């Protein structure tokens, strides 16, 4: 059965029709601030219910609960603060209780009712969320670059800037309707920001053995240099699905959401978001949402012990490798053979081969997938 | 003879308890336990999806899914 959204109700703060027209007119007279692309993505995730039960950017009480307890003030699990940062001079003359227009590229995209304006300690944020204050961590670096104050309050989305991949993006209400149409009762979601190799395929198919459907859910949004470009990831998955998956058991849909690289906390966040999209199960990878050596390989699994009330079932499937003795993809739980027979599927190695224009060996990546990736002039983010 | 009962002990935040008690009193339940049982039954039995979607809106969603090739 498709789970109820986190908190019980799917948030919808996308205004349409006459209400939208009226608020757009009113918004022209309001004080306004310009928001970044990343905050625009947060805004859309809130408005479309991907971040249910959030109705806006967090007020201080929720922010502090999330920071220290990994729960909202109403005790619901929530691990990554969703906050809007502003410079004091941007909001001089604006006070709590006022409405504020949010602009992106000079155009009004939303209106926010300011509930609270408060300060924050970015170093403490980094320490709690990322477990490090090291500026080399991409999430920490981004945090330190944010503005000095936070503004909390409910939002209404009025305009959505077009996105080059908008026809690849589905929102929670759409996946929920889609799963019902397909009569799927159990859906496993797979988070990715990579092109698929044989290890990914193994993990997805292992999970799909026990569920009605698989949601392959690539993250569209800010990525770090060296990551695969979004359109490359989609094309690679389309090839994999076309040649290696049964018909009608897979949905490939983009998720417009920021990547924080917050490791274990982000694994919980990813699971909650997938619950809002209607998934019943969520595959949690080894070092899920990690970067460098900041998190232990299984920390993102262990943290789930603290959230028995999450409302989505995590699936911890061990990393797959090719075993020459078994003659196929296996993992350490089901393969009795020693290291000398095991060939690890290294994303770094595959990336290097792709950069050199080479097709990786078939035990690492399906040739149809590799060919599609190589057909792009430059598959990587710079 | 009534249906077999099980005893369930749960811990909730005081703020949530206060809100539940207020709701229960306002709605005329004899005690908070009766109210919680009612709410849980509603939740489990109603098959509520938690989505506020009119038939027209649902058709719009399906149209987009069709246009994108997700459904026939």
């Amino acid at each position: 059965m498709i789970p109820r959204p986190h908190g019980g109700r799917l948030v919808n703060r996308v205004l349409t029709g006459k209400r939208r027209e009226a608020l757009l007119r009113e918004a022209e007279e309001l004080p306004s601030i310009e928001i970044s692309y990343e905050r625009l993505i947060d805004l859309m995730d809130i408005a479309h219910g991907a971040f249910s039960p959030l109705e806006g950017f967090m007020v201080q009480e929720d922010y502090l609960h999330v920071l220290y307890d990994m729960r909202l003030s109403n005790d619901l699990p929530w691990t990554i603060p969703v906050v809007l940062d502003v410079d004091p001079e941007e909001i001089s003359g604006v006070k709590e209780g006022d409405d504020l227009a949010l602009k992106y590229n000079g155009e009004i995209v939303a209106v926010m009712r300011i509930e609270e304006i408060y300060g924050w300690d970015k170093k403490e944020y980094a320490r709690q969320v990322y477990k490090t204050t090291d500026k080399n961590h991409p999430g920490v670096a981004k945090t330190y670059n944010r503005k000095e104050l936070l503004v909390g309050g409910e939002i209404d989305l009025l305009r959505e800037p077009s996105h080059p991949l908008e026809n690849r993006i589905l929102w929670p209400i759409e996946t929920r309707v889609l799963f019902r149409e397909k009569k799927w009762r159990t859906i496993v979601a797979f988070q990715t920001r990579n092109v698929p190799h044989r290890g990914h395929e193994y993990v997805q198919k292992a999970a799909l053995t026990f569920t009605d459907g698989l949601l392959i859910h690539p993250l569209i949004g800010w990525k770090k240099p060296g990551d695969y470009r979004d359109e490359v990831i989609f094309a690679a998955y389309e090839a994999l699905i076309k040649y290696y998956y049964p018909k009608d058991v897979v949905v490939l849909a983009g998720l417009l959401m920021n990547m924080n690289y917050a490791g274990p906390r982000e694994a919980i966040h990813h699971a909650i978001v997938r619950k809002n999209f209607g998934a019943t199960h969520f595959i949690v990878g080894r070092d899920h949402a990690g970067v460098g050596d900041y998190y232990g390989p299984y920390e993102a699994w262990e943290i789930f012990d603290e959230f028995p009330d999450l409302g989505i079932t995590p699936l911890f499937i061990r990393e797959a490798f090719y075993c020459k003795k078994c003659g196929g993809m296996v993992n350490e739980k089901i393969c009795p053979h020693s290291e000398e027979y095991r060939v690890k599927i290294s994303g770094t190695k595959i990336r290097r081969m792709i950069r050199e224009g080479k097709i990786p060996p078939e035990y690492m990546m399906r040739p149809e997938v590799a060919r599609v990736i190589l057909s792009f002039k430059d598959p990587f983010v710079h | 003879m009534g249906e077999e009962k099980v005893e369930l002990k749960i811990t909730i935040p005081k703020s949530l308890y206060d809100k539940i008690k207020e709701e229960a009193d306002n709605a005329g339940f004899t005690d908070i336990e009766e109210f919680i049982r009612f709410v849980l039954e509603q939740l489990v039995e109603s098959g509520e999806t938690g989505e506020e979607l009119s038939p027209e809106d649902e058709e719009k969603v399906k149209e987009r899914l069709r246009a994108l090739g997700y459904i026939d």
Side-chain angles (χ1 to χ4, degrees), chain A residues 89-378:
Chain A
E89 54 271 26
E90 278 184 296
I91 52 159
S92 61
V94 175
K95 58 186 186 310
E96 292 171 2
D98 287 352
D99 282 353
L100 180 68
L102 306 182
K103 289 183 174 175
Y104 178 69
N105 277 346
E107 193 170 57
I108 292 169
V109 289
V111 167
M112 178 181 195
R113 266 148 298 281
I114 299 178
E115 255 183 80
E116 200 173 15
I117 302 169
Y118 56 102
W120 63 321
D121 180 341
K122 292 189 238 180
K123 202 166 185 180
E124 182 64 2
Y125 180 105
R127 192 178 291 119
Q128 295 298 328
V129 173
Y130 298 109
K131 300 176 90 170
T132 176
T133 54
D134 181 358
K135 280 185 272 187
N136 293 315
H137 183 297
V140 174
K142 278 192 167 286
T143 302
Y144 289 170
N145 282 330
R146 292 181 75 174
K147 297 169 181 174
E148 298 311 311
L149 290 177
L150 299 179
V151 186
E154 294 183 353
I155 57 95
D156 283 309
L157 187 67
L158 301 170
R159 272 200 195 101
E160 296 186 63
S162 63
H163 190 284
L165 291 174
E166 62 194 4
N167 284 341
R168 311 275 199 171
I169 296 166
L170 294 185
W171 292 111
I173 193 63
E174 294 169 325
T175 52
R176 287 171 165 268
V177 169
L178 177 58
F179 298 155
R180 277 202 293 276
E181 281 292 296
K182 288 183 174 292
K183 300 192 169 32
W184 291 354
R185 292 175 64 84
T186 50
I187 301 103
V188 61
F190 182 80
Q191 142 78 30
T192 186
R193 54 192 161 91
N194 265 316
V195 296
H197 59 50
R198 295 292 296 275
H200 300 130
E201 182 184 337
Y202 169 86
V203 166
Q204 290 166 10
K205 286 182 171 174
L208 186 53
T209 309
F210 300 101
T211 59
D212 297 333
L214 166 69
L215 170 63
I216 299 175
H217 219 188
L219 217 72
I220 297 176
W222 176 78
K223 292 191 179 73
K224 61 181 169 44
D227 284 352
Y228 290 94
R229 280 166 41 211
D230 293 326
E231 53 270 47
V232 178
I233 295 169
F234 273 92
Y237 262 107
E238 275 164 356
L240 182 69
I241 292 166
K242 181 177 173 188
Y243 292 106
Y244 294 99
Y245 283 79
K247 210 170 176 282
D248 282 339
V249 296
V250 186
V251 165
L252 171 65
L255 167 59
L256 194 60
M257 187 169 82
N258 293 307
M259 185 73 202
N260 299 287
Y261 302 95
R265 274 196 186 234
E266 195 153 23
I268 298 292
H269 184 63
H270 284 171
I272 291 170
V273 169
R274 272 42 183 241
K275 174 184 169 188
N276 285 331
F277 277 83
T280 53
H281 295 73
F282 179 62
I283 296 169
V284 188
R286 182 184 173 277
D287 195 24
H288 188 104
V291 61
D293 295 326
Y294 291 100
Y295 311 106
Y298 297 106
E299 255 186 271
W301 293 9
E302 289 152 11
I303 193 173
F304 278 83
D305 289 343
E306 296 176 48
F307 298 95
D309 52 344
L310 209 54
I312 180 167
T313 306
L315 294 182
F316 307 124
I317 304 175
R318 285 160 201 267
E319 201 175 21
F321 50 82
Y322 182 81
C323 172
K324 293 175 191 163
K325 199 98 171 166
C326 293
M329 296 299 295
V330 286
N331 65 46
E332 62 183 5
K333 198 175 174 191
I334 56 174
C335 170
H337 305 117
S338 57
E339 285 293 329
E340 62 182 302
Y341 298 107
R342 297 177 176 184
V343 185
K344 292 210 165 117
I345 313 294
S346 155
T348 311
K349 209 180 278 179
I350 292 175
R351 199 173 275 117
R352 196 182 313 129
M353 298 184 86
I354 297 286
R355 277 191 198 286
E356 291 166 358
K358 292 180 188 159
I359 293 199
E362 198 164 352
Y363 65 82
M364 283 190 182
M365 181 176 265
R366 299 286 190 185
E368 294 87 346
V369 173
R371 278 196 286 274
V372 163
I373 299 168
L374 285 168
S375 72
F376 285 85
K377 197 174 166 205
D378 185 2

Side-chain angles (χ1 to χ4, degrees), chain A residues 4 10 166 174 180 252, chain B residues 48-51 62 64 70:
Chain A
R4 286 169 68 94
L10 192 66
E166 62 194 4
E174 294 169 325
R180 277 202 293 276
L252 171 65
Chain B
E48 283 281 323
T49 61
E51 303 154 15
K62 286 180 185 169
R64 179 165 193 255
Y70 284 102

